[in-house]
Amino acid sequence: RRVLFRSQVFVEASVGPSFAPLGSWRLSSEGEIRASGLYPQRYENMNRLLIKTMPVQSLVFDDQEVTLANGNKVPRTPDMQDPASQFIQLAYKFMLNPGLLKAGNTIQLPMVRLKKAEIFAYDVIGEEVQQTPLGEIPTVHVRPRRLDGDAANMSAEIWFAPGLQYL
């Protein structure tokens, strides 16, 4: 198999002032770009709280399974993503099929996190205009949820901008 394109995705967030953040969170994903979209091969998660940096935790993907941060293995399913690559994979799906972003739709995506693999649902809430330093940007509001009903750690909301390649 010849690989034509590699992918790298980085997501960073911090809490507090930029000159002295109380905490930060950095996610990175590396892999290949295939016809179906991103194909992650390695994911890393680094958290920092005040002056303490937690050890980097990682996932390693091969063609058949994913090795979790604790060393356990789970089967790799088609289209499986990690917490960093999910955003780009969703944008890719929306570019190929903008009709997915119709209010009321739900998009499902298999995702593996540090401790387990599961299916996430992304509910399309509707169109919204976001006020940004660059001006008004038309977006589509999408809310992720876990299908197992556990709402823990699901405070994220996502707005995709069709005019900015769904980023």
Side-chain angles (χ1 to χ4, degrees):
R1 182 183 82 220
R2 186 171 163 227
V3 177
L4 297 178
F5 299 101
R6 303 273 314 150
S7 68
Q8 291 185 323
V9 177
F10 298 97
V11 178
E12 294 189 45
S14 61
V15 176
S18 60
F19 62 88
L22 300 172
S24 64
W25 183 50
R26 180 167 192 222
L27 312 177
S28 67
S29 177
E30 295 182 29
E32 299 174 358
I33 300 173
R34 296 185 175 183
S36 61
L38 295 185
Y39 189 80
Q41 294 173 317
R42 182 168 183 82
Y43 164 80
E44 292 186 346
N45 179 324
M46 184 176 75
N47 295 317
R48 177 176 288 155
L49 184 57
L50 296 175
I51 60 172
K52 182 178 180 178
T53 299
M54 310 301 177
V56 173
Q57 295 184 298
S58 63
L59 302 171
V60 178
F61 295 74
D62 68 27
D63 288 337
Q64 302 300 317
E65 59 190 9
V66 180
T67 303
L68 303 177
N70 62 9
N72 291 342
K73 296 180 185 291
V74 296
R76 181 177 192 147
T77 59
D79 206 20
M80 182 175 270
Q81 300 299 313
D82 59 53
S85 67
Q86 68 174 317
F87 305 112
I88 303 303
Q89 183 67 9
L90 286 168
Y92 178 69
K93 285 179 173 291
F94 300 149
M95 285 172 47
L96 293 179
N97 185 357
L100 291 173
L101 283 174
K102 181 181 173 195
N105 279 356
T106 297
I107 299 96
Q108 293 187 8
L109 188 68
M111 186 163 35
V112 63
R113 301 187 316 154
L114 293 172
K115 296 180 181 178
K116 69 179 185 174
E118 57 194 313
I119 305 287
F120 273 68
Y122 299 82
D123 298 322
V124 180
I125 307 305
E127 296 180 8
E128 296 180 13
V129 174
Q130 294 295 311
Q131 302 297 325
T132 75
L134 300 174
E136 293 184 345
I137 297 178
T139 66
V140 179
H141 185 188
V142 177
R143 183 176 296 139
R145 67 181 160 87
R146 294 167 57 178
L147 288 178
D148 64 8
D150 184 354
N153 298 322
M154 286 304 298
S155 59
E157 306 248 349
I158 309 167
W159 287 262
F160 288 92
L164 299 173
Q165 297 183 345
Y166 295 93
L167 296 177

Short mmCIF file of all heavy atoms in Angstrom, two decimals, residues 89-129:
data_model
loop_
_atom_site.label_atom_id
_atom_site.label_comp_id
_atom_site.label_asym_id
_atom_site.label_seq_id
_atom_site.Cartn_x
_atom_site.Cartn_y
_atom_site.Cartn_z
N GLN A 89 -12.57 14.92 10.49
CA GLN A 89 -13.34 13.87 9.82
C GLN A 89 -14.78 14.32 9.60
O GLN A 89 -15.35 14.09 8.52
CB GLN A 89 -13.30 12.57 10.62
CG GLN A 89 -14.02 11.41 9.97
CD GLN A 89 -13.36 10.93 8.69
OE1 GLN A 89 -12.25 11.33 8.34
NE2 GLN A 89 -14.03 10.04 7.99
N LEU A 90 -15.37 14.97 10.59
CA LEU A 90 -16.73 15.48 10.41
C LEU A 90 -16.77 16.55 9.33
O LEU A 90 -17.67 16.55 8.48
CB LEU A 90 -17.28 16.03 11.73
CG LEU A 90 -17.67 14.96 12.76
CD1 LEU A 90 -17.91 15.59 14.12
CD2 LEU A 90 -18.89 14.18 12.31
N ALA A 91 -15.80 17.47 9.33
CA ALA A 91 -15.75 18.51 8.29
C ALA A 91 -15.66 17.86 6.91
O ALA A 91 -16.32 18.30 5.96
CB ALA A 91 -14.57 19.44 8.54
N TYR A 92 -14.86 16.81 6.78
CA TYR A 92 -14.72 16.10 5.51
C TYR A 92 -16.06 15.49 5.08
O TYR A 92 -16.48 15.61 3.92
CB TYR A 92 -13.65 15.02 5.65
CG TYR A 92 -13.43 14.18 4.42
CD1 TYR A 92 -12.85 14.73 3.27
CD2 TYR A 92 -13.80 12.84 4.39
CE1 TYR A 92 -12.65 13.95 2.14
CE2 TYR A 92 -13.59 12.06 3.27
CZ TYR A 92 -13.02 12.62 2.14
OH TYR A 92 -12.82 11.86 1.02
N LYS A 93 -16.76 14.86 6.03
CA LYS A 93 -18.07 14.28 5.72
C LYS A 93 -19.05 15.36 5.25
O LYS A 93 -19.83 15.15 4.33
CB LYS A 93 -18.64 13.56 6.95
CG LYS A 93 -17.99 12.24 7.26
CD LYS A 93 -18.63 11.62 8.50
CE LYS A 93 -18.14 10.24 8.76
NZ LYS A 93 -18.60 9.26 7.77
N PHE A 94 -19.01 16.54 5.90
CA PHE A 94 -19.92 17.62 5.53
C PHE A 94 -19.57 18.21 4.16
O PHE A 94 -20.45 18.62 3.42
CB PHE A 94 -19.93 18.71 6.60
CG PHE A 94 -20.36 18.21 7.96
CD1 PHE A 94 -19.87 18.79 9.11
CD2 PHE A 94 -21.24 17.15 8.09
CE1 PHE A 94 -20.26 18.35 10.35
CE2 PHE A 94 -21.64 16.68 9.34
CZ PHE A 94 -21.15 17.29 10.48
N MET A 95 -18.28 18.25 3.83
CA MET A 95 -17.88 18.73 2.50
C MET A 95 -18.41 17.79 1.42
O MET A 95 -18.88 18.24 0.37
CB MET A 95 -16.36 18.85 2.41
CG MET A 95 -15.83 20.05 3.15
SD MET A 95 -14.02 20.16 3.30
CE MET A 95 -13.44 19.81 1.69
N LEU A 96 -18.35 16.47 1.67
CA LEU A 96 -18.83 15.50 0.69
C LEU A 96 -20.35 15.47 0.61
O LEU A 96 -20.90 15.18 -0.45
CB LEU A 96 -18.31 14.10 1.04
CG LEU A 96 -16.81 13.87 0.91
CD1 LEU A 96 -16.46 12.45 1.31
CD2 LEU A 96 -16.34 14.15 -0.52
N ASN A 97 -21.01 15.73 1.74
CA ASN A 97 -22.47 15.63 1.80
C ASN A 97 -23.03 16.74 2.69
O ASN A 97 -23.35 16.49 3.86
CB ASN A 97 -22.88 14.25 2.32
CG ASN A 97 -24.38 14.06 2.27
OD1 ASN A 97 -25.14 14.95 1.90
ND2 ASN A 97 -24.81 12.87 2.67
N PRO A 98 -23.15 17.98 2.17
CA PRO A 98 -23.65 19.09 2.99
C PRO A 98 -25.05 18.85 3.56
O PRO A 98 -25.41 19.44 4.58
CB PRO A 98 -23.66 20.28 2.01
CG PRO A 98 -22.71 19.90 0.93
CD PRO A 98 -22.78 18.41 0.83
N GLY A 99 -25.82 17.97 2.94
CA GLY A 99 -27.16 17.67 3.44
C GLY A 99 -27.16 17.04 4.82
O GLY A 99 -28.19 17.06 5.51
N LEU A 100 -26.03 16.51 5.26
CA LEU A 100 -25.94 15.96 6.62
C LEU A 100 -26.20 17.03 7.68
O LEU A 100 -26.62 16.72 8.79
CB LEU A 100 -24.57 15.33 6.86
CG LEU A 100 -24.23 14.06 6.10
CD1 LEU A 100 -22.76 13.67 6.33
CD2 LEU A 100 -25.15 12.92 6.54
N LEU A 101 -25.95 18.30 7.31
CA LEU A 101 -26.07 19.38 8.29
C LEU A 101 -27.47 19.98 8.36
O LEU A 101 -27.66 21.10 8.83
CB LEU A 101 -25.04 20.47 7.99
CG LEU A 101 -23.63 20.12 8.44
CD1 LEU A 101 -22.63 21.16 7.97
CD2 LEU A 101 -23.56 19.94 9.93
N LYS A 102 -28.46 19.23 7.97
CA LYS A 102 -29.86 19.68 8.09
C LYS A 102 -30.27 19.57 9.55
O LYS A 102 -30.05 18.54 10.20
CB LYS A 102 -30.75 18.83 7.20
CG LYS A 102 -32.19 19.24 7.23
CD LYS A 102 -33.04 18.34 6.35
CE LYS A 102 -34.49 18.69 6.54
NZ LYS A 102 -35.35 17.66 5.99
N ALA A 103 -30.89 20.63 10.08
CA ALA A 103 -31.35 20.63 11.47
C ALA A 103 -32.20 19.39 11.75
O ALA A 103 -33.05 19.03 10.95
CB ALA A 103 -32.14 21.89 11.77
N GLY A 104 -31.92 18.74 12.86
CA GLY A 104 -32.64 17.53 13.25
C GLY A 104 -31.91 16.25 12.90
O GLY A 104 -32.22 15.19 13.43
N ASN A 105 -30.93 16.32 11.99
CA ASN A 105 -30.15 15.13 11.63
C ASN A 105 -29.22 14.73 12.78
O ASN A 105 -28.82 15.56 13.59
CB ASN A 105 -29.30 15.36 10.38
CG ASN A 105 -30.09 15.22 9.11
OD1 ASN A 105 -31.26 14.87 9.12
ND2 ASN A 105 -29.44 15.50 7.99
N THR A 106 -28.85 13.45 12.77
CA THR A 106 -27.85 12.93 13.69
C THR A 106 -26.82 12.16 12.88
O THR A 106 -27.19 11.33 12.05
CB THR A 106 -28.48 12.01 14.75
OG1 THR A 106 -29.39 12.78 15.55
CG2 THR A 106 -27.43 11.39 15.65
N ILE A 107 -25.56 12.47 13.10
CA ILE A 107 -24.45 11.78 12.43
C ILE A 107 -23.76 10.92 13.48
O ILE A 107 -23.49 11.40 14.59
CB ILE A 107 -23.45 12.79 11.83
CG1 ILE A 107 -24.12 13.67 10.78
CG2 ILE A 107 -22.25 12.07 11.22
CD1 ILE A 107 -24.58 14.98 11.30
N GLN A 108 -23.49 9.67 13.17
CA GLN A 108 -22.78 8.79 14.11
C GLN A 108 -21.36 8.58 13.64
O GLN A 108 -21.09 8.50 12.44
CB GLN A 108 -23.50 7.45 14.24
CG GLN A 108 -24.85 7.59 14.90
CD GLN A 108 -25.50 6.25 15.20
OE1 GLN A 108 -24.89 5.21 15.06
NE2 GLN A 108 -26.74 6.29 15.63
N LEU A 109 -20.44 8.52 14.61
CA LEU A 109 -19.03 8.35 14.31
C LEU A 109 -18.39 7.50 15.40
O LEU A 109 -18.49 7.84 16.58
CB LEU A 109 -18.34 9.72 14.25
CG LEU A 109 -16.91 9.76 13.76
CD1 LEU A 109 -16.83 9.41 12.28
CD2 LEU A 109 -16.32 11.14 13.99
N PRO A 110 -17.74 6.38 15.02
CA PRO A 110 -17.04 5.60 16.04
C PRO A 110 -15.79 6.36 16.49
O PRO A 110 -15.07 6.93 15.67
CB PRO A 110 -16.68 4.30 15.32
CG PRO A 110 -16.76 4.60 13.87
CD PRO A 110 -17.67 5.77 13.71
N MET A 111 -15.57 6.38 17.80
CA MET A 111 -14.42 7.08 18.35
C MET A 111 -13.79 6.26 19.45
O MET A 111 -14.49 5.60 20.22
CB MET A 111 -14.81 8.45 18.88
CG MET A 111 -13.58 9.22 19.32
SD MET A 111 -13.77 10.99 19.54
CE MET A 111 -15.37 11.22 20.17
N VAL A 112 -12.48 6.31 19.49
CA VAL A 112 -11.76 5.66 20.59
C VAL A 112 -11.13 6.76 21.42
O VAL A 112 -10.55 7.71 20.89
CB VAL A 112 -10.73 4.63 20.07
CG1 VAL A 112 -9.65 5.27 19.24
CG2 VAL A 112 -10.13 3.84 21.21
N ARG A 113 -11.34 6.66 22.72
CA ARG A 113 -10.74 7.61 23.66
C ARG A 113 -9.71 6.86 24.48
O ARG A 113 -9.46 5.69 24.23
CB ARG A 113 -11.84 8.24 24.50
CG ARG A 113 -12.83 8.97 23.59
CD ARG A 113 -13.88 9.78 24.27
NE ARG A 113 -14.49 9.15 25.40
CZ ARG A 113 -15.05 9.82 26.40
NH1 ARG A 113 -15.05 11.11 26.40
NH2 ARG A 113 -15.62 9.20 27.39
N LEU A 114 -9.10 7.50 25.43
CA LEU A 114 -8.00 6.88 26.17
C LEU A 114 -8.36 5.57 26.84
O LEU A 114 -7.53 4.67 26.93
CB LEU A 114 -7.45 7.86 27.21
CG LEU A 114 -6.77 9.10 26.63
CD1 LEU A 114 -6.44 10.10 27.74
CD2 LEU A 114 -5.53 8.72 25.85
N LYS A 115 -9.62 5.43 27.29
CA LYS A 115 -10.00 4.24 28.06
C LYS A 115 -10.94 3.29 27.34
O LYS A 115 -11.11 2.16 27.77
CB LYS A 115 -10.64 4.66 29.38
CG LYS A 115 -9.67 5.39 30.29
CD LYS A 115 -10.33 5.80 31.58
CE LYS A 115 -9.34 6.55 32.45
NZ LYS A 115 -9.96 7.01 33.69
N LYS A 116 -11.61 3.74 26.26
CA LYS A 116 -12.55 2.85 25.58
C LYS A 116 -12.95 3.38 24.21
O LYS A 116 -12.74 4.53 23.89
CB LYS A 116 -13.79 2.61 26.43
CG LYS A 116 -14.70 3.80 26.60
CD LYS A 116 -15.91 3.40 27.45
CE LYS A 116 -16.91 4.51 27.55
NZ LYS A 116 -18.12 4.08 28.24
N ALA A 117 -13.55 2.49 23.45
CA ALA A 117 -14.10 2.84 22.14
C ALA A 117 -15.62 2.89 22.26
O ALA A 117 -16.21 2.11 23.00
CB ALA A 117 -13.69 1.80 21.10
N GLU A 118 -16.24 3.81 21.55
CA GLU A 118 -17.69 3.95 21.59
C GLU A 118 -18.17 4.71 20.36
O GLU A 118 -17.36 5.25 19.60
CB GLU A 118 -18.13 4.65 22.87
CG GLU A 118 -17.51 6.02 23.08
CD GLU A 118 -17.71 6.54 24.49
OE1 GLU A 118 -18.84 6.47 25.00
OE2 GLU A 118 -16.74 7.02 25.08
N ILE A 119 -19.46 4.72 20.17
CA ILE A 119 -20.07 5.46 19.06
C ILE A 119 -20.58 6.79 19.62
O ILE A 119 -21.27 6.82 20.63
CB ILE A 119 -21.25 4.70 18.43
CG1 ILE A 119 -20.84 3.31 18.00
CG2 ILE A 119 -21.87 5.50 17.29
CD1 ILE A 119 -19.97 3.25 16.79
N PHE A 120 -20.22 7.87 18.96
CA PHE A 120 -20.73 9.18 19.33
C PHE A 120 -21.77 9.61 18.31
O PHE A 120 -21.65 9.32 17.12
CB PHE A 120 -19.61 10.22 19.35
CG PHE A 120 -18.88 10.29 20.66
CD1 PHE A 120 -18.10 9.24 21.09
CD2 PHE A 120 -18.98 11.42 21.46
CE1 PHE A 120 -17.43 9.31 22.29
CE2 PHE A 120 -18.31 11.48 22.67
CZ PHE A 120 -17.53 10.43 23.08
N ALA A 121 -22.79 10.30 18.79
CA ALA A 121 -23.80 10.89 17.93
C ALA A 121 -23.57 12.40 17.93
O ALA A 121 -23.22 12.98 18.96
CB ALA A 121 -25.20 10.57 18.46
N TYR A 122 -23.75 13.00 16.78
CA TYR A 122 -23.60 14.45 16.63
C TYR A 122 -24.94 14.97 16.13
O TYR A 122 -25.30 14.74 14.98
CB TYR A 122 -22.47 14.78 15.67
CG TYR A 122 -21.13 14.26 16.15
CD1 TYR A 122 -20.77 12.93 15.94
CD2 TYR A 122 -20.26 15.08 16.85
CE1 TYR A 122 -19.57 12.43 16.40
CE2 TYR A 122 -19.04 14.58 17.31
CZ TYR A 122 -18.70 13.27 17.09
OH TYR A 122 -17.52 12.77 17.55
N ASP A 123 -25.67 15.65 17.02
CA ASP A 123 -26.99 16.16 16.67
C ASP A 123 -26.85 17.54 16.03
O ASP A 123 -26.20 18.43 16.60
CB ASP A 123 -27.86 16.27 17.93
CG ASP A 123 -28.10 14.91 18.57
OD1 ASP A 123 -28.28 13.92 17.83
OD2 ASP A 123 -28.11 14.84 19.82
N VAL A 124 -27.47 17.71 14.86
CA VAL A 124 -27.43 18.99 14.17
C VAL A 124 -28.54 19.86 14.74
O VAL A 124 -29.72 19.55 14.60
CB VAL A 124 -27.59 18.81 12.64
CG1 VAL A 124 -27.55 20.16 11.94
CG2 VAL A 124 -26.52 17.87 12.10
N ILE A 125 -28.14 20.94 15.42
CA ILE A 125 -29.09 21.83 16.07
C ILE A 125 -29.69 22.82 15.06
O ILE A 125 -30.88 23.02 15.04
CB ILE A 125 -28.40 22.60 17.23
CG1 ILE A 125 -27.70 21.63 18.19
CG2 ILE A 125 -29.39 23.51 17.95
CD1 ILE A 125 -28.57 20.55 18.77
N GLY A 126 -28.85 23.43 14.25
CA GLY A 126 -29.34 24.36 13.24
C GLY A 126 -28.32 25.43 12.90
O GLY A 126 -27.23 25.47 13.46
N GLU A 127 -28.71 26.31 11.99
CA GLU A 127 -27.82 27.38 11.54
C GLU A 127 -27.78 28.51 12.56
O GLU A 127 -28.80 28.85 13.16
CB GLU A 127 -28.30 27.92 10.19
CG GLU A 127 -28.23 26.88 9.08
CD GLU A 127 -28.70 27.41 7.74
OE1 GLU A 127 -28.93 28.64 7.62
OE2 GLU A 127 -28.83 26.59 6.82
N GLU A 128 -26.59 29.07 12.76
CA GLU A 128 -26.40 30.21 13.66
C GLU A 128 -25.29 31.09 13.09
O GLU A 128 -24.35 30.59 12.48
CB GLU A 128 -25.96 29.75 15.06
CG GLU A 128 -26.98 28.92 15.79
CD GLU A 128 -26.50 28.49 17.17
OE1 GLU A 128 -25.48 29.01 17.69
OE2 GLU A 128 -27.15 27.60 17.75
N VAL A 129 -25.41 32.38 13.30
CA VAL A 129 -24.35 33.31 12.91
C VAL A 129 -23.51 33.58 14.14
O VAL A 129 -24.04 33.97 15.19
CB VAL A 129 -24.94 34.61 12.33
CG1 VAL A 129 -23.83 35.63 12.06
CG2 VAL A 129 -25.73 34.31 11.06
#
